[in-house]
């Protein structure tokens, strides 16, 4: 029987993303803080539609805004790991990365009763150690890579990548990879970011972005009997009025077309079970 699974995921960075980029003055901090206002809106919307979702919450947000995070947990949504700070693992030593993994997981365990099953790296940039560390610490899935679109796969360990040589691909690990894409992430489409080095223009017309997002679902239905599509949102980004409006339309359209909303943990489980049969 065809199944088209849809994961709505929220990276609840609040101010942590700005802090990790050194943007600690009051205005960028307030920009992240808006995510807390938006998280309440998003929870209300998900309740109205009765949709289970997954929230990747940095330890910094869990400990800065425990009430807002408890509301996510009380509403039955999955909490995934998103670092303690919002620094991408690729910029950390193995020791720093493991310390953040353990520190945030302890908070998640305290608040939800169990450690995170899934991990999403801040800014989507894994280190050479991440897969080892996730397996060591009992994770079931990662969702930070882009090697497929609608089909999960097993993350590899030990790739050897050198400029002047063919890539040597490592062995598959038991860690499920639920692939993501920048094109299905609200951040690059909508956020205007100005730093000394770069300008990310963002601020795109929401209707155009909605069309892209719907078409990716439609294409999955066209070519796949079974597949998963993962949308990534940030409360401080998607929470603005015109974007909340397209989120509603996305849900309406995908649901009408037979999309089945699940958490990422459920999606990983469905993938593993399907492989057995
Ligand atoms: Zn993030």
């Amino acid at each position: 029987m065809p199944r088209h699974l849809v994961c709505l995921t929220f990276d609840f960075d609040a101010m942590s993303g700005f802090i990790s980029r050194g943007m600690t003055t009051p205005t960028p901090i307030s920009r992240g803080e808006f995510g807390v206002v938006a998280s309440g809106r998003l929870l209300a919307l998900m309740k109205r539609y009765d949709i289970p979702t997954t929230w990747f919450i940095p330890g910094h947000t869990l400990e800065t805004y425990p009430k807002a995070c408890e509301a996510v947990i009380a509403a039955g949504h999955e909490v995934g790991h998103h670092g303690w700070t919002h620094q991408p693992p690729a910029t950390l030593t193995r020791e720093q990365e493991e310390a953040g993994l353990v520190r945030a997981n302890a908070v998640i365990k305290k608040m939800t009763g169990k450690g995170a099953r899934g991990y999403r790296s801040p800014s989507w940039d894994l280190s050479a150690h991440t897969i080892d560390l996730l397996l060591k610490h009992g994770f079931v899935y990662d969702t930070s890579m882009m090697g497929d679109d609608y089909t999960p796969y097993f993350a590899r360990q030990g790739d050897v990548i050198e400029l002047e040589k063919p890539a040597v691909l490592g062995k598959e690990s038991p860690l499920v990879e639920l692939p993501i894409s920048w094109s299905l992430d609200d951040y690059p489409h909508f956020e205007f970011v100005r730093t000394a080095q770069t300008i990310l223009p963002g601020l795109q017309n929401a209707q155009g972005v909605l069309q892209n997002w719907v078409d990716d679902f439609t294409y999955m239905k066209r070519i796949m009997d079974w597949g998963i599509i993962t949308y990534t949102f940030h409360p401080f980004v998607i929470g603005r009025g015109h974007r909340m409006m397209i989120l509603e339309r996305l849900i309406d359209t995908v649901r009408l077309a037979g999309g089945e909303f699940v958490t990422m943990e459920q999606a990983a489980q469905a993938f593993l079970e399907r492989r057995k049969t």
Side-chain angles (χ1 to χ4, degrees):
M1 197 177 133
R3 271 186 100 184
H4 298 105
L5 306 181
V6 182
C7 293
L8 302 184
T9 66
F10 297 94
D11 295 1
F12 194 4
D13 298 340
M15 61 176 75
S16 68
F18 293 98
I19 297 171
S20 70
R21 291 177 181 89
M23 299 166 77
T24 55
T25 49
T27 299
I29 292 299
S30 70
R31 188 170 165 185
E33 210 173 309
F34 174 67
V36 180
V37 176
S39 70
R41 277 180 201 169
L42 289 162
L43 290 177
L45 185 69
M46 295 309 137
K47 188 175 178 192
R48 179 145 67 80
Y49 280 104
D50 193 21
I51 289 177
T53 64
T54 303
W55 291 59
F56 293 95
I57 313 183
H60 185 277
T61 303
L62 289 163
E63 297 202 49
T64 305
Y65 297 111
K67 274 197 186 135
C69 297
E70 277 158 14
V72 172
I73 297 159
H77 300 284
E78 178 190 358
V79 174
H81 199 298
H82 197 44
W84 196 96
T85 72
H86 199 276
Q87 293 166 296
T91 65
L92 303 175
T93 64
R94 185 184 169 109
E95 289 67 34
Q96 288 170 328
E97 182 178 355
E98 186 166 25
L101 209 55
V102 169
R103 184 179 177 193
N105 225 6
V107 187
I108 292 171
K109 194 166 184 187
K110 198 171 102 196
M111 291 178 77
T112 68
K114 60 177 184 176
R117 315 296 287 160
Y119 176 78
R120 169 172 288 165
S121 92
S123 307
W124 283 337
D125 201 355
L126 300 181
S127 78
H129 311 293
T130 307
I131 304 302
D132 291 357
L133 292 173
L134 294 178
L135 288 165
K136 178 180 168 188
H137 291 280
F139 285 77
V140 174
Y141 71 87
D142 170 69
T143 172
S144 315
M145 292 201 275
M146 312 180 192
D148 209 320
D149 46 12
Y150 307 123
T151 307
Y153 57 99
F154 291 102
R156 289 189 308 271
Q157 286 173 290
D159 282 5
V160 182
I161 308 295
E162 293 177 64
L163 181 63
E164 300 274 3
K165 292 184 185 167
V168 180
L169 304 183
K171 64 175 194 326
E172 273 186 358
S173 80
L175 193 79
V176 176
E177 180 60 38
L178 298 170
I180 44 73
S181 162
W182 285 113
S183 60
L184 295 173
D185 181 322
D186 57 359
Y187 190 90
H189 299 302
F190 292 128
E191 280 307 289
F192 172 71
V193 186
R194 184 187 56 203
T195 66
Q197 295 80 31
T198 55
I199 288 186
L200 179 67
L203 305 180
Q204 286 192 36
N205 182 292
Q207 296 302 321
V209 176
L210 173 64
Q211 191 61 58
N212 293 348
W213 290 349
V214 168
D215 280 353
D216 271 9
F217 177 79
T218 306
Y219 191 69
M220 171 169 76
K221 275 194 72 182
R222 183 170 294 179
I223 67 161
M224 310 288 294
D225 278 339
W226 191 100
I228 301 173
I229 190 167
T230 299
Y231 296 97
T232 299
F233 309 108
H234 299 74
F236 80 93
V237 179
I238 201 74
R240 301 277 166 193
H242 60 292
R243 302 171 192 160
M244 289 299 287
M245 299 289 282
I246 64 154
L247 178 57
E248 281 187 31
R249 281 183 213 129
L250 177 71
I251 293 169
D252 285 335
T253 308
V254 159
R255 175 170 273 177
L256 198 64
E260 188 185 330
F261 293 95
V262 294
T263 64
M264 296 222 96
E265 185 179 0
Q266 290 167 335
Q269 219 49 54
F271 166 71
L272 289 171
E273 275 161 25
R274 188 164 178 271
R275 284 176 55 86
K276 280 190 223 148
T277 56

